[in-house]
Amino acid sequence: MLLTGGAAMTDEETTQDAQRRDRRGAEDPSLRAIRAEGADAAAPDGVEVAEAGPVEEPAPEHRFRSWRRQRPFVGGLLVALGGIEMFFSGQLDIGHLHIQLGIEGLQATIIPVALLLLGLLAITMPAHHVFYGILAVVVAIYSLIGVNLGGFLVGMLLAGTGGVLVVAWMGGSRAKREEKTS
């Protein structure tokens, strides 16, 4: 029997404590960095450090996927597509019926450009996604008046749905959210 810290411990208990420390040491994030560098001199006693192999760079599709998950990509894309559809709906020539840009010609150009810009900004600057999403929804609703019934309702629905998705985007990874809750 050993006396440690005022309590008597058997040999079996000390080996279990040593095994727990070894497991904790293997899970320690600082040891992962040491393993990656290949420096086993800084490892705690009783912990073996494995040699680090070559670090593989992720494939381009994995890099794009991780980039896309860090921003409201789908919502921003829908807002931009709604703007593009509205722009081309103002340039239509259906048989003998030509839809012209009259007095509201400036609105029929500015609204689609604004939606395209809002979609791109939501994708490139995800920190302000709520602001861009609310503006996109408001502009999409206003396009009912300004741009041929909102691009014949298709552009308005695309931009409105995209704006709602941009506002509702939660951001971050699951691991970050789990750390915040615990």
Side-chain angles (χ1 to χ4, degrees):
M1 245 192 224
L2 298 172
L3 290 176
T4 56
M9 297 178 69
T10 64
D11 289 334
E12 184 178 313
E13 290 173 338
T14 56
T15 55
Q16 288 176 352
D17 287 341
Q19 289 173 350
R20 281 192 212 114
R21 270 187 268 124
D22 287 347
R23 275 187 262 136
R24 268 191 243 120
E27 295 168 358
D28 189 13
S30 62
L31 289 180
R32 288 187 206 129
I34 293 169
R35 284 191 193 105
E37 294 172 3
D40 40 44
D45 294 334
V47 177
E48 294 181 19
V49 178
E51 292 287 325
V55 178
E56 294 181 24
E57 187 156 329
E61 61 268 5
H62 295 294
R63 283 186 297 185
F64 176 71
R65 185 179 302 146
S66 67
W67 176 83
R68 187 187 69 207
R69 288 182 180 165
Q70 297 171 359
R71 52 202 72 241
F73 185 77
V74 174
L77 187 66
L78 286 175
V79 171
L81 287 175
I84 291 170
E85 196 278 332
M86 281 185 208
F87 180 76
F88 286 116
S89 74
Q91 312 298 325
L92 287 179
D93 187 13
I94 304 172
H96 296 295
L97 177 66
H98 183 71
I99 300 173
Q100 291 189 347
L101 304 174
I103 294 172
E104 290 85 23
L106 189 59
Q107 286 182 358
T109 303
I110 289 179
I111 290 174
V113 169
L115 285 172
L116 179 65
L117 184 65
L118 286 168
L120 293 176
L121 284 173
I123 292 171
T124 57
M125 298 172 57
H128 308 291
H129 68 96
V130 174
F131 177 70
Y132 297 137
I134 290 171
L135 278 179
V137 169
V138 169
V139 171
I141 291 171
Y142 181 72
S143 71
L144 279 170
I145 305 167
V147 186
N148 296 332
L149 286 176
F152 302 113
L153 298 177
V154 175
M156 186 206 67
L157 290 175
L158 280 172
T161 304
V164 168
L165 287 175
V166 168
V167 170
W169 178 70
M170 294 299 287
S173 66
R174 289 182 186 158
K176 288 182 184 176
R177 279 187 254 142
E178 289 173 3
E179 287 177 1
K180 289 180 184 177
T181 58
S182 38

